[in-house]
mmCIF file of all heavy atoms in Angstrom:
data_model
loop_
_atom_site.group_PDB
_atom_site.id
_atom_site.type_symbol
_atom_site.label_atom_id
_atom_site.label_comp_id
_atom_site.label_asym_id
_atom_site.label_seq_id
_atom_site.Cartn_x
_atom_site.Cartn_y
_atom_site.Cartn_z
ATOM 1 N N PHE C 9 16.027 -12.832 9.801
ATOM 2 C CA PHE C 9 14.800 -12.036 9.741
ATOM 3 C C PHE C 9 14.778 -11.248 8.444
ATOM 4 O O PHE C 9 13.776 -11.240 7.711
ATOM 5 C CB PHE C 9 14.752 -11.101 10.948
ATOM 6 C CG PHE C 9 13.539 -10.254 11.056
ATOM 7 C CD1 PHE C 9 12.445 -10.642 11.787
ATOM 8 C CD2 PHE C 9 13.431 -9.030 10.329
ATOM 9 C CE1 PHE C 9 11.282 -9.865 11.861
ATOM 10 C CE2 PHE C 9 12.275 -8.251 10.412
ATOM 11 C CZ PHE C 9 11.223 -8.667 11.201
ATOM 12 N N PHE C 10 15.843 -10.527 8.144
ATOM 13 C CA PHE C 10 15.906 -9.697 6.923
ATOM 14 C C PHE C 10 15.771 -10.607 5.678
ATOM 15 O O PHE C 10 15.053 -10.251 4.756
ATOM 16 C CB PHE C 10 17.234 -8.965 6.858
ATOM 17 C CG PHE C 10 17.416 -8.170 5.632
ATOM 18 C CD1 PHE C 10 16.864 -6.886 5.506
ATOM 19 C CD2 PHE C 10 18.194 -8.594 4.586
ATOM 20 C CE1 PHE C 10 17.018 -6.097 4.363
ATOM 21 C CE2 PHE C 10 18.381 -7.869 3.402
ATOM 22 C CZ PHE C 10 17.774 -6.600 3.309
ATOM 23 N N GLN C 11 16.475 -11.732 5.681
ATOM 24 C CA GLN C 11 16.390 -12.649 4.492
ATOM 25 C C GLN C 11 14.975 -13.149 4.285
ATOM 26 O O GLN C 11 14.545 -13.378 3.150
ATOM 27 C CB GLN C 11 17.367 -13.779 4.700
ATOM 28 C CG GLN C 11 18.827 -13.401 4.567
ATOM 29 C CD GLN C 11 19.149 -12.812 3.167
ATOM 30 O OE1 GLN C 11 18.714 -13.389 2.167
ATOM 31 N NE2 GLN C 11 19.936 -11.747 3.156
ATOM 32 N N SER C 12 14.224 -13.357 5.382
ATOM 33 C CA SER C 12 12.855 -13.875 5.227
ATOM 34 C C SER C 12 11.950 -12.944 4.475
ATOM 35 O O SER C 12 11.001 -13.389 3.794
ATOM 36 C CB SER C 12 12.278 -14.120 6.604
ATOM 37 O OG SER C 12 12.984 -15.100 7.306
ATOM 38 N N PHE C 13 12.212 -11.652 4.551
ATOM 39 C CA PHE C 13 11.319 -10.666 3.938
ATOM 40 C C PHE C 13 11.876 -10.039 2.623
ATOM 41 O O PHE C 13 11.163 -9.314 1.937
ATOM 42 C CB PHE C 13 11.101 -9.484 4.913
ATOM 43 C CG PHE C 13 10.263 -9.826 6.083
ATOM 44 C CD1 PHE C 13 10.849 -10.117 7.303
ATOM 45 C CD2 PHE C 13 8.900 -9.802 6.011
ATOM 46 C CE1 PHE C 13 10.065 -10.418 8.430
ATOM 47 C CE2 PHE C 13 8.092 -10.070 7.098
ATOM 48 C CZ PHE C 13 8.682 -10.404 8.306
ATOM 49 N N ASN C 14 13.139 -10.324 2.284
ATOM 50 C CA ASN C 14 13.777 -9.470 1.261
ATOM 51 C C ASN C 14 14.481 -10.281 0.114
ATOM 52 O O ASN C 14 15.261 -9.671 -0.618
ATOM 53 C CB ASN C 14 14.748 -8.522 1.921
ATOM 54 C CG ASN C 14 14.037 -7.479 2.748
ATOM 55 O OD1 ASN C 14 13.412 -6.568 2.217
ATOM 56 N ND2 ASN C 14 14.106 -7.631 4.055
ATOM 57 N N ARG C 15 14.151 -11.533 -0.075
ATOM 58 C CA ARG C 15 14.747 -12.231 -1.180
ATOM 59 C C ARG C 15 14.231 -11.610 -2.495
ATOM 60 O O ARG C 15 13.159 -11.040 -2.544
ATOM 61 C CB ARG C 15 14.439 -13.742 -1.109
ATOM 62 C CG ARG C 15 12.957 -14.090 -1.287
ATOM 63 C CD ARG C 15 12.738 -15.606 -1.335
ATOM 64 N NE ARG C 15 11.329 -15.856 -1.337
ATOM 65 C CZ ARG C 15 10.584 -16.106 -0.242
ATOM 66 N NH1 ARG C 15 11.137 -16.162 0.952
ATOM 67 N NH2 ARG C 15 9.258 -16.292 -0.339
ATOM 68 N N ASN C 16 15.011 -11.840 -3.505
ATOM 69 C CA ASN C 16 14.639 -11.362 -4.865
ATOM 70 C C ASN C 16 14.511 -9.864 -5.016
ATOM 71 O O ASN C 16 13.863 -9.343 -5.944
ATOM 72 C CB ASN C 16 13.346 -12.056 -5.366
ATOM 73 C CG ASN C 16 13.487 -13.547 -5.382
ATOM 74 O OD1 ASN C 16 14.534 -14.078 -5.808
ATOM 75 N ND2 ASN C 16 12.470 -14.274 -4.978
ATOM 76 N N LYS C 17 15.099 -9.107 -4.090
ATOM 77 C CA LYS C 17 15.059 -7.656 -4.157
ATOM 78 C C LYS C 17 16.465 -7.064 -4.407
ATOM 79 O O LYS C 17 17.489 -7.795 -4.266
ATOM 80 C CB LYS C 17 14.497 -7.060 -2.863
ATOM 81 C CG LYS C 17 13.079 -7.504 -2.552
ATOM 82 C CD LYS C 17 12.592 -6.879 -1.240
ATOM 83 C CE LYS C 17 11.211 -7.409 -0.842
ATOM 84 N NZ LYS C 17 10.744 -6.835 0.437
ATOM 85 N N LEU C 18 16.548 -5.798 -4.750
ATOM 86 C CA LEU C 18 17.770 -5.086 -4.947
ATOM 87 C C LEU C 18 17.878 -4.001 -3.892
ATOM 88 O O LEU C 18 16.865 -3.622 -3.297
ATOM 89 C CB LEU C 18 17.864 -4.475 -6.354
ATOM 90 C CG LEU C 18 17.635 -5.437 -7.527
ATOM 91 C CD1 LEU C 18 17.534 -4.638 -8.836
ATOM 92 C CD2 LEU C 18 18.734 -6.454 -7.622
ATOM 93 N N SER C 19 19.086 -3.476 -3.639
ATOM 94 C CA SER C 19 19.275 -2.440 -2.681
ATOM 95 C C SER C 19 20.086 -1.255 -3.251
ATOM 96 O O SER C 19 21.149 -1.470 -3.849
ATOM 97 C CB SER C 19 19.976 -2.929 -1.434
ATOM 98 O OG SER C 19 20.286 -1.899 -0.545
ATOM 99 N N VAL C 20 19.559 -0.079 -3.113
ATOM 100 C CA VAL C 20 20.250 1.166 -3.481
ATOM 101 C C VAL C 20 20.439 1.983 -2.219
ATOM 102 O O VAL C 20 19.485 2.265 -1.513
ATOM 103 C CB VAL C 20 19.465 1.941 -4.508
ATOM 104 C CG1 VAL C 20 20.035 3.378 -4.676
ATOM 105 C CG2 VAL C 20 19.450 1.257 -5.851
ATOM 106 N N GLY C 21 21.696 2.336 -1.969
ATOM 107 C CA GLY C 21 21.980 3.177 -0.814
ATOM 108 C C GLY C 21 21.821 4.667 -1.226
ATOM 109 O O GLY C 21 22.501 5.106 -2.147
ATOM 110 N N LEU C 22 20.892 5.358 -0.548
ATOM 111 C CA LEU C 22 20.594 6.712 -0.980
ATOM 112 C C LEU C 22 20.102 7.534 0.202
ATOM 113 O O LEU C 22 19.237 7.081 0.962
ATOM 114 C CB LEU C 22 19.478 6.648 -2.068
ATOM 115 C CG LEU C 22 19.332 7.878 -2.990
ATOM 116 C CD1 LEU C 22 20.611 8.144 -3.776
ATOM 117 C CD2 LEU C 22 18.154 7.603 -3.981
ATOM 118 N N ASP C 23 20.648 8.743 0.354
ATOM 119 C CA ASP C 23 20.244 9.632 1.411
ATOM 120 C C ASP C 23 19.277 10.665 0.848
ATOM 121 O O ASP C 23 19.661 11.613 0.147
ATOM 122 C CB ASP C 23 21.461 10.354 1.987
ATOM 123 C CG ASP C 23 21.129 11.299 3.166
ATOM 124 O OD1 ASP C 23 19.933 11.402 3.483
ATOM 125 O OD2 ASP C 23 22.073 11.922 3.682
ATOM 126 N N LEU C 24 17.997 10.468 1.071
ATOM 127 C CA LEU C 24 16.987 11.380 0.506
ATOM 128 C C LEU C 24 16.958 12.733 1.183
ATOM 129 O O LEU C 24 16.282 13.671 0.658
ATOM 130 C CB LEU C 24 15.586 10.707 0.628
ATOM 131 C CG LEU C 24 15.356 9.436 -0.143
ATOM 132 C CD1 LEU C 24 13.865 9.052 -0.064
ATOM 133 C CD2 LEU C 24 15.777 9.564 -1.579
ATOM 134 N N SER C 25 17.639 12.872 2.300
ATOM 135 C CA SER C 25 17.660 14.212 2.961
ATOM 136 C C SER C 25 18.622 15.187 2.272
ATOM 137 O O SER C 25 18.569 16.369 2.541
ATOM 138 C CB SER C 25 18.025 14.027 4.448
ATOM 139 O OG SER C 25 19.358 13.602 4.587
ATOM 140 N N SER C 26 19.494 14.678 1.413
ATOM 141 C CA SER C 26 20.453 15.533 0.701
ATOM 142 C C SER C 26 19.839 15.918 -0.666
ATOM 143 O O SER C 26 19.098 15.143 -1.209
ATOM 144 C CB SER C 26 21.802 14.863 0.525
ATOM 145 O OG SER C 26 21.704 13.853 -0.479
ATOM 146 N N SER C 27 20.167 17.112 -1.128
ATOM 147 C CA SER C 27 19.650 17.541 -2.441
ATOM 148 C C SER C 27 20.118 16.630 -3.521
ATOM 149 O O SER C 27 19.415 16.333 -4.492
ATOM 150 C CB SER C 27 20.041 18.980 -2.670
ATOM 151 O OG SER C 27 21.446 19.166 -2.661
ATOM 152 N N ALA C 28 21.396 16.182 -3.441
ATOM 153 C CA ALA C 28 21.944 15.309 -4.469
ATOM 154 C C ALA C 28 21.209 13.934 -4.444
ATOM 155 O O ALA C 28 20.894 13.387 -5.483
ATOM 156 C CB ALA C 28 23.442 15.112 -4.253
ATOM 157 N N GLY C 29 20.926 13.428 -3.233
ATOM 158 C CA GLY C 29 20.206 12.186 -3.101
ATOM 159 C C GLY C 29 18.815 12.297 -3.616
ATOM 160 O O GLY C 29 18.284 11.375 -4.273
ATOM 161 N N ARG C 30 18.138 13.436 -3.372
ATOM 162 C CA ARG C 30 16.794 13.639 -3.883
ATOM 163 C C ARG C 30 16.788 13.659 -5.416
ATOM 164 O O ARG C 30 15.891 13.095 -6.021
ATOM 165 C CB ARG C 30 16.269 14.952 -3.326
ATOM 166 C CG ARG C 30 14.857 15.349 -3.872
ATOM 167 C CD ARG C 30 13.805 14.438 -3.316
ATOM 168 N NE ARG C 30 12.493 14.704 -3.923
ATOM 169 C CZ ARG C 30 11.354 14.217 -3.427
ATOM 170 N NH1 ARG C 30 11.354 13.428 -2.373
ATOM 171 N NH2 ARG C 30 10.220 14.519 -4.011
ATOM 172 N N ALA C 31 17.801 14.279 -5.966
ATOM 173 C CA ALA C 31 17.838 14.385 -7.439
ATOM 174 C C ALA C 31 17.984 12.980 -8.051
ATOM 175 O O ALA C 31 17.338 12.641 -9.056
ATOM 176 C CB ALA C 31 19.039 15.230 -7.871
ATOM 177 N N VAL C 32 18.817 12.152 -7.449
ATOM 178 C CA VAL C 32 18.984 10.748 -7.923
ATOM 179 C C VAL C 32 17.699 9.990 -7.767
ATOM 180 O O VAL C 32 17.246 9.270 -8.695
ATOM 181 C CB VAL C 32 20.126 10.057 -7.177
ATOM 182 C CG1 VAL C 32 20.163 8.561 -7.536
ATOM 183 C CG2 VAL C 32 21.471 10.691 -7.485
ATOM 184 N N PHE C 33 17.042 10.177 -6.653
ATOM 185 C CA PHE C 33 15.776 9.514 -6.381
ATOM 186 C C PHE C 33 14.730 9.878 -7.441
ATOM 187 O O PHE C 33 14.051 8.990 -7.999
ATOM 188 C CB PHE C 33 15.247 9.882 -5.004
ATOM 189 C CG PHE C 33 13.860 9.353 -4.681
ATOM 190 C CD1 PHE C 33 13.658 7.995 -4.514
ATOM 191 C CD2 PHE C 33 12.795 10.220 -4.530
ATOM 192 C CE1 PHE C 33 12.393 7.497 -4.222
ATOM 193 C CE2 PHE C 33 11.546 9.733 -4.270
ATOM 194 C CZ PHE C 33 11.316 8.379 -4.075
ATOM 195 N N GLU C 34 14.632 11.137 -7.801
ATOM 196 C CA GLU C 34 13.658 11.542 -8.806
ATOM 197 C C GLU C 34 14.012 11.006 -10.174
ATOM 198 O O GLU C 34 13.092 10.694 -10.974
ATOM 199 C CB GLU C 34 13.550 13.056 -8.834
ATOM 200 C CG GLU C 34 12.918 13.625 -7.569
ATOM 201 C CD GLU C 34 12.558 15.104 -7.632
ATOM 202 O OE1 GLU C 34 12.821 15.711 -8.671
ATOM 203 O OE2 GLU C 34 11.999 15.607 -6.657
ATOM 204 N N ASP C 35 15.293 10.825 -10.443
ATOM 205 C CA ASP C 35 15.678 10.200 -11.740
ATOM 206 C C ASP C 35 15.214 8.749 -11.780
ATOM 207 O O ASP C 35 14.824 8.235 -12.848
ATOM 208 C CB ASP C 35 17.205 10.271 -11.913
ATOM 209 C CG ASP C 35 17.678 11.642 -12.304
ATOM 210 O OD1 ASP C 35 16.856 12.458 -12.756
ATOM 211 O OD2 ASP C 35 18.901 11.914 -12.159
ATOM 212 N N LEU C 36 15.224 8.063 -10.636
ATOM 213 C CA LEU C 36 14.715 6.713 -10.542
ATOM 214 C C LEU C 36 13.184 6.669 -10.641
ATOM 215 O O LEU C 36 12.619 5.854 -11.348
ATOM 216 C CB LEU C 36 15.151 6.054 -9.256
ATOM 217 C CG LEU C 36 16.665 5.863 -9.038
ATOM 218 C CD1 LEU C 36 16.941 5.291 -7.644
ATOM 219 C CD2 LEU C 36 17.245 4.937 -10.114
ATOM 220 N N VAL C 37 12.523 7.609 -9.985
ATOM 221 C CA VAL C 37 11.082 7.726 -10.037
ATOM 222 C C VAL C 37 10.563 7.900 -11.457
ATOM 223 O O VAL C 37 9.565 7.327 -11.879
ATOM 224 C CB VAL C 37 10.561 8.872 -9.140
ATOM 225 C CG1 VAL C 37 9.051 9.151 -9.378
ATOM 226 C CG2 VAL C 37 10.820 8.592 -7.686
ATOM 227 N N ALA C 38 11.316 8.659 -12.246
ATOM 228 C CA ALA C 38 10.927 8.929 -13.625
ATOM 229 C C ALA C 38 10.809 7.645 -14.444
ATOM 230 O O ALA C 38 10.088 7.627 -15.462
ATOM 231 C CB ALA C 38 11.916 9.868 -14.273
ATOM 232 N N HIS C 39 11.481 6.582 -14.040
ATOM 233 C CA HIS C 39 11.478 5.344 -14.821
ATOM 234 C C HIS C 39 10.822 4.168 -14.059
ATOM 235 O O HIS C 39 10.894 3.036 -14.485
ATOM 236 C CB HIS C 39 12.906 4.971 -15.171
ATOM 237 C CG HIS C 39 13.574 5.969 -16.022
ATOM 238 N ND1 HIS C 39 14.282 7.037 -15.554
ATOM 239 C CD2 HIS C 39 13.687 6.077 -17.408
ATOM 240 C CE1 HIS C 39 14.767 7.785 -16.535
ATOM 241 N NE2 HIS C 39 14.424 7.215 -17.688
ATOM 242 N N ALA C 40 10.194 4.476 -12.917
ATOM 243 C CA ALA C 40 9.591 3.407 -12.083
ATOM 244 C C ALA C 40 8.074 3.437 -12.264
ATOM 245 O O ALA C 40 7.476 4.333 -12.840
ATOM 246 C CB ALA C 40 9.972 3.647 -10.643
ATOM 247 N N ASP C 41 7.450 2.394 -11.743
ATOM 248 C CA ASP C 41 6.005 2.304 -11.723
ATOM 249 C C ASP C 41 5.393 2.668 -10.374
ATOM 250 O O ASP C 41 4.256 3.201 -10.263
ATOM 251 C CB ASP C 41 5.529 0.896 -12.073
ATOM 252 C CG ASP C 41 5.978 0.477 -13.448
ATOM 253 O OD1 ASP C 41 5.398 0.990 -14.439
ATOM 254 O OD2 ASP C 41 6.865 -0.361 -13.588
ATOM 255 N N VAL C 42 6.183 2.388 -9.277
ATOM 256 C CA VAL C 42 5.622 2.519 -7.940
ATOM 257 C C VAL C 42 6.682 3.054 -6.974
ATOM 258 O O VAL C 42 7.849 2.717 -7.053
ATOM 259 C CB VAL C 42 5.199 1.117 -7.419
ATOM 260 C CG1 VAL C 42 4.599 1.193 -6.026
ATOM 261 C CG2 VAL C 42 4.179 0.444 -8.356
ATOM 262 N N VAL C 43 6.254 3.964 -6.115
ATOM 263 C CA VAL C 43 7.003 4.324 -4.920
ATOM 264 C C VAL C 43 6.203 3.805 -3.726
ATOM 265 O O VAL C 43 5.070 4.155 -3.504
ATOM 266 C CB VAL C 43 7.189 5.847 -4.805
ATOM 267 C CG1 VAL C 43 7.826 6.196 -3.450
ATOM 268 C CG2 VAL C 43 8.061 6.374 -5.928
ATOM 269 N N TYR C 44 6.821 2.877 -3.027
ATOM 270 C CA TYR C 44 6.136 2.063 -1.986
ATOM 271 C C TYR C 44 6.825 2.291 -0.654
ATOM 272 O O TYR C 44 8.062 2.216 -0.566
ATOM 273 C CB TYR C 44 6.256 0.610 -2.414
ATOM 274 C CG TYR C 44 5.741 -0.449 -1.456
ATOM 275 C CD1 TYR C 44 4.413 -0.906 -1.551
ATOM 276 C CD2 TYR C 44 6.588 -1.052 -0.519
ATOM 277 C CE1 TYR C 44 3.977 -1.923 -0.695
ATOM 278 C CE2 TYR C 44 6.119 -2.043 0.343
ATOM 279 C CZ TYR C 44 4.836 -2.477 0.213
ATOM 280 O OH TYR C 44 4.397 -3.476 1.072
ATOM 281 N N SER C 45 6.059 2.604 0.357
ATOM 282 C CA SER C 45 6.709 2.886 1.648
ATOM 283 C C SER C 45 5.877 2.354 2.816
ATOM 284 O O SER C 45 4.654 2.218 2.702
ATOM 285 C CB SER C 45 6.873 4.386 1.883
ATOM 286 O OG SER C 45 5.614 5.071 1.962
ATOM 287 N N ASN C 46 6.525 2.011 3.906
ATOM 288 C CA ASN C 46 5.807 1.767 5.145
ATOM 289 C C ASN C 46 6.483 2.590 6.254
ATOM 290 O O ASN C 46 7.350 2.156 6.981
ATOM 291 C CB ASN C 46 5.775 0.271 5.506
ATOM 292 C CG ASN C 46 7.097 -0.336 5.905
ATOM 293 O OD1 ASN C 46 8.065 -0.266 5.182
ATOM 294 N ND2 ASN C 46 7.134 -0.929 7.120
ATOM 295 N N LEU C 47 5.998 3.825 6.282
ATOM 296 C CA LEU C 47 6.521 4.827 7.227
ATOM 297 C C LEU C 47 5.337 5.394 8.001
ATOM 298 O O LEU C 47 4.175 5.150 7.636
ATOM 299 C CB LEU C 47 7.258 5.907 6.471
ATOM 300 C CG LEU C 47 8.376 5.454 5.511
ATOM 301 C CD1 LEU C 47 8.807 6.560 4.587
ATOM 302 C CD2 LEU C 47 9.570 4.954 6.333
ATOM 303 N N ARG C 48 5.607 6.131 9.065
ATOM 304 C CA ARG C 48 4.548 6.780 9.793
ATOM 305 C C ARG C 48 3.678 7.630 8.878
ATOM 306 O O ARG C 48 4.154 8.147 7.867
ATOM 307 C CB ARG C 48 5.158 7.619 10.930
ATOM 308 C CG ARG C 48 4.239 7.816 12.145
ATOM 309 C CD ARG C 48 5.033 8.614 13.200
ATOM 310 N NE ARG C 48 5.485 9.894 12.695
ATOM 311 C CZ ARG C 48 6.657 10.412 12.855
ATOM 312 N NH1 ARG C 48 7.567 9.763 13.577
ATOM 313 N NH2 ARG C 48 6.980 11.595 12.345
#
């Protein structure tokens, strides 16, 4: 199931609830084009 939806992608393990994780996330956002989510 996972393979059907996720080929050709990369994975970064990151805890956005931690301040350190948030800081890393924003460093990635600074160099990205899109933040894409499917959440409530």
Side-chain angles (χ1 to χ4, degrees):
F9 182 96
F10 178 82
Q11 289 297 317
S12 297
F13 290 98
N14 292 287
R15 66 174 174 267
N16 299 320
K17 300 180 185 180
L18 306 173
S19 173
V20 167
L22 200 59
D23 181 0
L24 296 187
S25 67
S26 75
S27 58
R30 176 70 186 192
V32 172
F33 174 68
E34 292 190 0
D35 285 342
L36 296 175
V37 170
H39 298 87
D41 298 289
V42 180
V43 172
Y44 174 92
S45 66
N46 70 304
L47 306 166
R48 207 175 58 223

